[in-house]
Amino acid sequence: MIQSILFWIDSSKYFLLFWGAFLEGPVVMVGGGFLYRLSQLNFLPMYLCLVAGDFAADLVWYFVGYYGGRPLIVRYGKFFNITEEIIQKIEKRFRTYQTSILIVSKLTMGFGFSLATLITAGILKVSFRKYVAINLVGGFIWVGFLVLVGYLFGHVYLVIPDSIKVIFVLIGAIAVFFALRTINRYLVNTEI
């Protein structure tokens, strides 16, 4: 049973990377770089799956804003820490600095407002071509950066003693997860 599960995971690893990037991008991207450093993944398929998963998620949020708009945010935004107030603040700036906001949002995890920014782009009916171009180019850069972080983490893993490797991985994974969550929550609760 365990052998068949491990075989399935190994044979589906790129498929799992795509869905991991789609659902929880940054953590999976760092993990992808880590696994690449440990020679568990090939670079190009890993990188393309991560970019594709991240980009697919961006498209979903654009269409949520485009077709669902404000009523959807008012009703369900609280589950994603998105309030009407946040959308109004982003909208105000979005009308003037649309391209800059999309670029900065993609390359910085949106300073905690990435999801709200992507949905607002849909609400304001930003040109789909422009949206795709910015998010695709930004995605290649952002994914590359996070894969590099994971790769460096994997390099450290290879040089530490075997006796503490499991502890290192657990502490590292927990630290990355909580760092990303804390930064996101802090930035969401700060004024735009």
Side-chain angles (χ1 to χ4, degrees), residues 156-169:
V156 171
Y157 173 82
L158 290 174
V159 297
I160 63 172
D162 288 342
S163 60
I164 62 169
K165 282 188 178 187
V166 172
I167 294 169
F168 174 77
V169 169

Side-chain angles (χ1 to χ4, degrees), residues 115-126:
L115 194 55
T117 302
L118 298 174
I119 292 171
T120 301
I123 290 172
L124 295 178
K125 313 283 193 257
V126 169

Side-chain angles (χ1 to χ4, degrees), residues 2-191:
I2 291 177
Q3 290 288 352
S4 60
I5 292 172
L6 292 175
F7 176 77
W8 180 81
I9 290 172
D10 186 52
S11 63
S12 305
K13 57 189 166 194
Y14 298 108
F15 173 78
L16 294 171
L17 279 175
F18 171 86
W19 284 106
F22 182 85
L23 297 171
E24 184 54 57
V27 173
V28 174
M29 292 168 195
V30 170
F34 178 78
L35 291 172
Y36 171 66
R37 179 61 181 104
L38 299 180
S39 302
Q40 299 301 307
L41 298 169
N42 293 319
F43 180 77
L44 192 57
M46 172 210 55
Y47 185 66
L48 293 177
C49 285
L50 291 172
V51 169
D54 182 56
F55 181 66
D58 291 349
L59 292 178
V60 166
W61 293 119
Y62 176 84
F63 287 121
V64 164
Y66 194 91
Y67 292 108
R70 270 198 163 48
L72 203 58
I73 294 304
V74 170
R75 188 166 184 175
Y76 299 108
K78 63 186 171 203
F79 297 111
F80 300 100
N81 291 326
I82 301 172
T83 64
E84 176 67 22
E85 183 180 287
I86 289 172
I87 295 294
Q88 287 174 1
K89 288 178 183 180
I90 292 174
E91 256 183 353
K92 192 188 228 178
R93 287 170 180 83
F94 218 95
R95 294 188 193 284
T96 308
Y97 306 108
Q98 195 176 93
T99 302
S100 300
I101 288 173
L102 283 172
I103 291 168
V104 169
S105 175
K106 189 63 188 174
L107 298 178
T108 61
M109 279 185 17
F111 290 119
F113 295 101
S114 182
L115 194 55
T117 302
L118 298 174
I119 292 171
T120 301
I123 290 172
L124 295 178
K125 313 283 193 257
V126 169
S127 159
F128 187 67
R129 239 186 203 158
K130 178 189 235 179
Y131 181 85
V132 165
I134 290 170
N135 279 287
L136 200 52
V137 171
F140 275 101
I141 296 167
W142 177 239
V143 171
F145 170 73
L146 290 176
V147 165
L148 177 63
V149 169
Y151 182 86
L152 296 173
F153 183 67
H155 184 72
V156 171
Y157 173 82
L158 290 174
V159 297
I160 63 172
D162 288 342
S163 60
I164 62 169
K165 282 188 178 187
V166 172
I167 294 169
F168 174 77
V169 169
L170 288 174
I171 291 172
I174 291 168
V176 167
F177 178 78
F178 281 111
L180 291 171
R181 288 277 181 205
T182 302
I183 290 168
N184 188 44
R185 284 192 181 146
Y186 171 76
L187 293 171
V188 164
N189 294 322
T190 342
E191 283 293 317

